[in-house]
Amino acid sequence: MATTRYVKATGGTTGAFTSKSSPAKSVALALKAASPGDTIEIMDAATYAGAELVIDKAITITSSYLVAHPTIDPTAAKFVEAVLPTIASDGDHRVMRIQGTPATRASFGPVVVSGVRISKGVAVHAPQEPGIGCGGGIVVVDADQVTIDRCFFRGNRTRASAVLPWPEADRVALRQAILDLLGDIFSTTVETALNTLIGAANLALGYLRPGTVIAPIDRTVILAQVGREFDGKIGAGRPNHAITGQAFGGGLATVWASPTVSRCAFEANTANGRGGGIAVTGYGWPTISGCSVRKNTTLAGGRCDGGGIGCEVAVPSKLGRDLFETGMVRFLVGKLAAARAVIGSPLSSISLSDVIDAALATVSPSTSHPVFRGVRTLILDAVTRNWGHLTDHLLYYFVTSALSLAAGDAWERTELDAARKSAIRITETTISGNHGFDDGGGLYASVLSRLTLSGVTVADNIAENMGGGIRLTMGSGTTMSGCTVTGNRAGAGSTGGAGATGPLDKGGGLAARNVDLAITTSTFGSAGVGATVPGTASNLTGDAPGGGLAFEASSEGAMSGIPDLWSSILVEAFAVRSVAVTIGPGCTIGANGAGFGPGRGALPRALHAKGGGMFVVRGDFPDAPTLTVSVAAVRTTISGNRASTVNYLSSAQKGLRVAASNEVSLQDVTTGKEYTESNWDPLIDSAGTLAF
């Protein structure tokens, strides 16, 4: 029969602790004495510092204060957290680990932690650590029936392990793999045939562009040059970074778990990874309701996205939970034979006109030069002796081939199916005053971490790079309703000018890349008509586009030194090939600004600050998903924004000079078009909906 065990600082060390007159002196003693289903009630507001509490059975931990005051709200501005007892760490370890197993994940529990403070925890990432260094305050591992209610998390942190270099054997194995693949493509037979083709091209070039001559290719030279380029790009001693969620979640982390978190405050927690306040890693979809996530931060070192909340769901679990770059590299190298087997006939991918066009584009960059991919790309890179491009394209070709053939050997298909159908739910929660040292000052979601946001306020957060309030990427589809996104800033240190890195720092309120996004009845900034920009509600960028929102369909970037490997994962593992952004009825995007410095003044030398309200770019990476954008009642929805870059030459539409793009800048690189509020009429239907 379930019973209550009591705890008080003046209690004893022996007994059953089932009476208020004979409580335990510590939570650990009561936990040891408790049976599954029992409740541990802390009677006073003392601090209980000790070793990590491991909860591996159904249990409730609560406080007498909460029992007497069941409606307390730790998120309230005037709440006095000192009325709650504090469970703290007494050393270099986290406060609490709630530990299930993969086999018992759905049935384990229930576990309830309520009405307590969680403080001074330090989760340290180390080999074999069950929580992979996540959750400085509490980590929930392989457990779904967990409720954390009306708690206060303060001053917890995570610490990543030291970054060690790649083992040289792994670097050499990758190097040899791509050279073996290249050797198969440029066989001696192909070498002879290509030189015959080059001879014919030179005859044609003698008429088309006298003096332009293509040198014959040499298989040995090609292999040697690519080997040198590889050594320059992925050299000995390259840092071997963690890539699957290690040291995430300064306050709380869920690791393959779906707990419910309600009416909790997360303040002044720090992560040496993603999610200063809260993190989700692995295949779990928690519900976060009525919480306050404020003044948390990520450290400048490591994967430092998501100052408030960081989410990373769809990791390659077949390769292990504690995965580093070289683990992924070993997987890819192991698929070399499969990649070599599907090369086919390289000569069938190339024509005489391809060679001529490539030669003309090399001597005259203004000449139209089509985008090449696959074996065709590699051959033309070799013909034009562009060794750097050849090496990058070869690496990309290799990993894309390997993943298209064998992604299921790294990602569990049933887990991916669940990730596509499930979502992390965040409702009636405030995410404010957080600082992310990379992307997503308030909230960050990547690798198929789908979100449902309802009644969420995202305010006054700062990201050093993209997404001052929210950053979404890698297929992390999101729905937003009744949300408010105000006063956030992306690219906090950007000052503009030729040396600025501002184009990377898009999206003062929200930056999204390669995701489905549906927004209704939400506000970014404030009502724009008559508003002062910048005002206190304005979302801002430095010398970067998209003061309110920025959307892009483009490359997801490199991993392990391999160009665009994240894009290969997006397409080949996650099957994300098209995305849609829909801004529906009841939305306001106003009083946002692109091109404002740390002091909130307009940058006089801003070069990239376009689309004060909204910026969209698509078509600048050939393998990116297709992107469509729809905005209902666009003329009133997006109004009263400001962009500091004026009278600029469009980077998408050749010869177009844009006077201003205060409201929108919509760039389609594929079709060579840019639209702003001055020429957007062809995109707007009779109902006032813009379709791009």
Side-chain angles (χ1 to χ4, degrees), residues 301-530:
R303 303 169 74 196
C304 42
D305 308 292
I309 301 174
C311 307
E312 186 170 291
V313 169
V315 298
S317 58
K318 287 186 176 181
L319 304 184
R321 294 186 178 185
D322 193 11
L323 185 66
F324 288 77
E325 286 185 354
T326 49
M328 177 59 72
V329 167
R330 289 167 196 158
F331 163 75
L332 293 168
V333 169
K335 305 304 175 184
L336 173 63
R340 295 172 78 174
V342 296
I343 291 173
S345 173
L347 292 172
S348 66
S349 65
I350 199 77
S351 68
L352 176 62
S353 62
D354 291 333
V355 177
I356 294 170
D357 288 346
L360 291 173
T362 299
V363 298
S364 179
S366 62
T367 301
S368 176
H369 188 184
V371 175
F372 296 113
R373 286 173 277 167
V375 172
R376 187 186 190 199
T377 307
L378 306 180
I379 291 173
L380 292 171
D381 286 338
V383 167
T384 57
R385 310 177 83 80
N386 195 328
W387 310 121
H389 283 177
L390 174 56
T391 306
D392 287 345
H393 292 150
L394 177 62
L395 283 162
Y396 180 63
Y397 173 77
F398 169 48
V399 300
T400 300
S401 298
L403 288 168
S404 69
L405 295 166
D409 293 340
W411 280 266
E412 176 61 57
R413 292 300 182 187
T414 57
E415 290 180 332
L416 284 181
D417 288 343
R420 294 186 186 102
K421 298 172 184 177
S422 306
I424 300 160
R425 295 182 59 82
I426 306 177
T427 63
E428 304 303 325
T429 289
T430 298
I431 304 169
S432 64
N434 303 286
H435 189 171
F437 268 92
D438 197 349
D439 295 346
L443 171 62
Y444 176 89
S446 186
V447 292
L448 222 58
S449 299
R450 297 179 66 248
L451 301 172
T452 297
L453 308 180
S454 176
V456 174
T457 296
V458 182
D460 304 320
N461 302 284
I462 294 174
E464 294 297 320
N465 293 315
M466 286 184 267
I470 301 170
R471 172 66 167 153
L472 309 170
T473 187
M474 285 290 294
S476 298
T478 296
T479 61
M480 299 178 65
S481 62
C483 295
T484 302
V485 182
T486 62
N488 302 286
R489 181 172 183 80
S494 178
T495 57
T501 58
L504 300 176
D505 305 336
K506 305 177 183 75
L510 181 150
R513 179 176 62 206
N514 303 329
V515 303
D516 289 312
L517 183 60
I519 306 173
T520 56
T521 60
S522 295
T523 296
F524 290 79
S526 65
V529 178

Side-chain angles (χ1 to χ4, degrees), residues 218-238:
D218 185 314
R219 180 177 187 272
T220 303
V221 170
I222 292 170
L223 293 171
Q225 290 289 354
V226 169
R228 286 192 202 81
E229 288 286 339
F230 179 92
D231 291 338
K233 295 173 184 293
I234 306 177
R238 174 185 171 80

Side-chain angles (χ1 to χ4, degrees), residues 271-297:
N272 197 187
R274 290 175 175 156
I278 304 172
V280 178
T281 186
Y283 295 87
W285 299 273
T287 295
I288 301 169
S289 177
C291 291
S292 172
V293 183
R294 59 184 182 243
K295 297 181 180 178
N296 304 282
T297 188

